[in-house]
């Protein structure tokens, strides 16, 4: 009886370790020198870093994210900057309600949610504005995803947003 229980526990541990290693993440510290935040993307996503941004897309390219770092002086107008940028990029943008404000992982955060239609496909468009306390930069994470694929990618998107930490 004991050996069956031990074997069962060992098998469960091996299964858990295999599933955890299969879900390894790519963690980006930004900027490389003297980072102000980190963000993690699923291992199979394509991630590209540039001087003031990080871009990522899901393996099936249905989810696209762009993270931009901006100087802290612009923080007061960050919501307006985000709305203007989205309206320039996407025709017919409709914002949902007022921006939601709060804290996440010790940072001030504002969430903007919108929707639009691109080439006949209804899209969810989101912007998260993160302000690490005491940093000279803040950053915006833009996310564009077809509503139909939210079921498949919603958990990844949530994990990515919740992975962001101020350094």
């Amino acid at each position: 009886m004991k050996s069956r229980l031990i074997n069962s526990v060992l098998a469960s541990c091996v299964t858990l370790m295999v599933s955890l290693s299969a879900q390894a993440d790519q963690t980006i510290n930004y900027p490389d020198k003297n980072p102000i935040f980190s963000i993690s993307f699923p291992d199979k996503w394509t991630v590209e870093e540039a001087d003031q941004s990080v871009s990522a897309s899901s393996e099936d390219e249905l989810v696209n994210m762009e993270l931009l770092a901006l100087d802290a002086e612009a923080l007061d107008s960050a919501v307006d900057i985000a709305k203007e940028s989205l309206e320039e990029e996407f025709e017919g943008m409709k914002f949902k309600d007022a921006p939601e404000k709060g804290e996440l992982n010790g940072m001030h955060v504002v969430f903007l949610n919108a929707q639009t239609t691109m080439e006949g496909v209804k899209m969810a468009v989101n912007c998260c504005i993160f302000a690490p306390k005491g940093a000279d930069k803040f950053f915006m994470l833009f996310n564009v995803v077809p509503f139909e694929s939210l079921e498949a990618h919603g958990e990844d998107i949530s994990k990515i947003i919740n992975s962001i930490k101020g350094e």
Side-chain angles (χ1 to χ4, degrees):
M1 178 92 169
K2 268 187 179 180
S3 66
R4 282 196 345 216
L5 178 62
I6 291 171
N7 287 339
S8 175
V9 169
L10 287 174
S12 296
C13 288
V14 168
T15 302
L16 178 62
M17 288 171 45
V18 167
S19 68
L20 288 175
S21 65
Q23 297 173 3
D25 291 330
Q26 306 175 58
T27 300
I28 307 295
N29 293 309
Y30 187 85
D32 285 337
K33 297 174 186 166
N34 199 17
I36 59 170
F37 70 88
S38 64
I39 183 170
S40 297
F41 296 98
D43 191 45
K44 291 185 178 185
W45 282 40
T46 301
V47 179
E48 297 176 12
E49 294 179 69
D51 287 339
Q52 295 292 315
S53 67
V54 175
S55 299
S57 59
S58 59
E59 188 176 18
D60 60 9
E61 296 183 0
L62 290 174
V63 179
N64 295 289
M65 295 183 151
E66 183 77 24
L67 190 128
L68 306 169
L70 302 166
D71 291 331
E73 301 91 55
L75 185 57
D76 291 337
S77 57
V79 171
D80 294 331
I81 291 169
K83 282 184 174 182
E84 288 172 16
S85 297
L86 290 170
E87 287 170 341
E88 284 176 20
E89 185 73 26
F90 304 103
E91 191 175 310
M93 180 72 57
K94 294 176 186 162
F95 288 94
K96 297 179 181 181
D97 306 321
E100 297 176 39
K101 297 180 180 182
E103 281 211 13
L104 181 66
N105 298 329
M107 294 179 286
H108 299 292
V109 65
V110 177
F111 296 99
L112 293 171
N113 298 303
Q115 64 183 36
T116 192
T117 302
M118 293 173 54
E119 300 176 11
V121 178
K122 288 186 177 186
M123 307 289 282
V125 181
N126 308 100
C127 177
C128 307
I129 302 166
F130 294 90
K133 294 175 181 172
D136 62 350
K137 295 217 180 268
F138 71 97
F139 48 99
M140 293 185 199
L141 177 64
F142 294 94
N143 172 40
V144 181
V145 61
F147 275 107
E148 290 179 4
S149 64
L150 280 176
E151 189 172 311
H153 292 291
E155 188 175 321
D156 282 340
I157 294 167
S158 179
K159 283 181 182 178
I160 291 166
I161 292 170
N162 284 301
S163 79
I164 298 174
K165 295 180 177 54
E167 299 296 319

